[in-house]
Amino acid sequence: GRPGLAVSLAPCPEGHAGPFCASCPVGQWGSGHGHGHCHHCDNKPQTPNAVYAKMAWPNSSCPFHCVPGVPEVKMNPNCLSNFDFAMGFFGGQLGFKITLALPITIFFIIRLVHSLRRKRRTRPSCGRWQFP
C-alpha cells in the first residue's frame, strides 16, 4: 500500500463528526452517530450578550455564558444588558416609567391642592362689608 489518510469505520465519539471525527466547533454539537456533520446549537438567547462556551458538545443544549460586564447567566438567563436587567426589577421599561411617573404625579397633585387652598385663604370675601 501507499501512504494515505486513515478513516475510522467506528462511529465518532459524541461531540465529533465527519469522516475524520473532528471535534465540533464552539456553537455546534455532534451526536457521534455515524460520520455525519456537526449541527448548529440554537438554545442560547438571541442577544449579542450571550456566547456559546464549549466545543465538542454531545447534544443540542450547548452551554453558553454571558459576556463580561453583564450579570452572569445564573441570575440573568437571557443575558440581558445591565439596563434591561435593572428594568426587569420594575417589570420592564413600562413598569419603570409607571413607577417613576407615580411619585411625580402625586407631587404635582399635592402642589395643586396646596396652591388652591392658599388662593382660597387670601381671596377677599365678596358681598360682605368690611370695616377698616
Side-chain angles (χ1 to χ4, degrees):
R2 298 188 312 221
L5 298 174
V7 177
S8 172
L9 297 176
C12 297
E14 291 183 338
H16 298 74
F20 304 107
C21 292
S23 295
C24 292
V26 173
Q28 295 186 15
W29 64 278
S31 64
H33 298 296
H35 295 289
H37 59 281
C38 295
H39 307 280
H40 287 280
C41 303
D42 61 358
N43 62 311
K44 79 172 178 67
Q46 297 301 315
T47 174
N49 297 328
V51 291
Y52 288 111
K54 298 195 178 199
M55 61 186 297
W57 198 252
N59 56 47
S60 63
S61 62
C62 302
F64 65 90
H65 64 271
C66 301
V67 296
V70 174
E72 65 182 40
V73 77
K74 289 178 185 173
M75 295 182 343
N76 183 12
N78 294 322
C79 291
L80 299 173
S81 68
N82 289 325
F83 178 76
D84 291 332
F85 183 71
M87 289 300 107
F89 177 77
F90 296 102
Q93 289 185 6
L94 177 63
F96 178 73
K97 290 175 184 175
I98 291 170
T99 304
L100 187 61
L102 189 62
I104 292 171
T105 304
I106 291 171
F107 172 76
F108 282 111
I109 289 172
I110 290 171
R111 284 197 51 143
L112 177 65
V113 168
H114 181 70
S115 173
L116 291 174
R117 283 185 180 173
R118 192 172 51 210
K119 278 185 181 179
R120 185 177 290 167
R121 269 190 251 141
T122 60
R123 185 173 36 162
S125 56
C126 297
R128 289 188 184 171
W129 288 94
Q130 294 183 350
F131 299 102

